[in-house]
Amino acid sequence: MIPDAVRNAEGAAGDTGAVAADVLRLLAESNGTVAVAESLTGGMVAAELTAVPGASRSFRGSVTAYATELKHRVLGVDAELLAAEGAVNAQVAAEMAAGVRRVLGASWGIATTGVAGPDPQDGQPVGTVFVAVEGPGGRKTARLRLNGSRAEIRRESARTVLELLASELRENLRGQDTEQNGGI
């Protein structure tokens, strides 16, 4: 996944359910857990994960913090950051991921925040989305600029944050394999 990607969400390729199943398989392989913080996706990421049989082994729960003040009160996003930059911001996404990971006691936290439309928000145009992953190896964020309908932007945001997590999980598993094989 390329940070600052421009994508056309309309008719975007990729099955979110398959990505969710892959994430849960990778989490099970590493005995990891995930918690989700969502804004613009409004629970779609959690719904995709819990649609997979056996999700309860790795899925801890989710927080849909649609209102800006909930991002601060529930997830611990810095209030000054929210006041200065608004909720549509890479640092906000990163702090949401860290907050949900901490609050729900998961090894991985993922987050979505952005503008699905119909109107711009916090000075950001429709289609501006930030996704974040935080786990044992650190934190990764990506900015998306998506085109398409509100529904398409939300679906592509959900799929993309799951892809970012899958990529980080694969990287983490590769690192564990290298350590177990004596650094080979």
Side-chain angles (χ1 to χ4, degrees):
M1 203 202 87
I2 302 169
D4 297 328
V6 177
R7 294 188 186 174
N8 184 354
E10 186 177 341
D15 176 11
T16 306
V19 179
D22 190 39
V23 161
L24 290 167
R25 180 187 59 75
L26 292 164
L27 283 166
E29 285 180 22
S30 64
N31 292 315
T33 57
V34 67
V36 182
E38 299 185 68
S39 187
L40 85 148
T41 49
M44 293 175 91
V45 178
E48 289 292 342
L49 288 167
T50 57
V52 178
S56 61
R57 178 173 178 193
S58 301
F59 181 71
R60 294 282 300 156
S62 66
V63 173
T64 300
Y66 212 66
T68 299
E69 74 269 9
L70 292 178
K71 292 172 180 64
H72 169 67
R73 282 194 299 140
V74 176
L75 298 172
V77 176
D78 184 271
E80 291 178 13
L81 171 65
L82 290 165
E85 301 294 330
V88 183
N89 177 283
Q91 185 62 33
V92 169
E95 290 187 22
M96 288 173 65
V100 80
R101 179 181 181 215
R102 181 187 70 254
V103 169
L104 298 185
S107 38
W108 295 87
I110 61 176
T112 64
T113 187
V115 187
D119 300 314
Q121 179 185 336
D122 297 332
Q124 298 287 352
V126 171
T128 302
V129 176
F130 294 92
V131 296
V133 172
E134 177 161 310
R139 179 183 290 177
K140 184 168 261 186
T141 62
R143 177 183 185 195
L144 309 173
R145 292 180 300 168
L146 303 172
N147 299 309
S149 70
R150 177 178 171 80
E152 291 163 339
I153 289 168
R154 293 175 71 228
R155 274 193 310 271
E156 182 64 10
S157 299
R159 187 177 67 77
T160 302
V161 76
L162 288 170
E163 286 178 341
L164 184 60
L165 176 57
S167 173
E168 291 300 301
L169 288 166
R170 281 188 205 93
E171 185 66 32
N172 195 51
L173 283 170
R174 275 194 295 276
Q176 288 176 2
D177 287 346
T178 300
E179 287 175 22
Q180 291 173 359
N181 291 322
I184 297 174

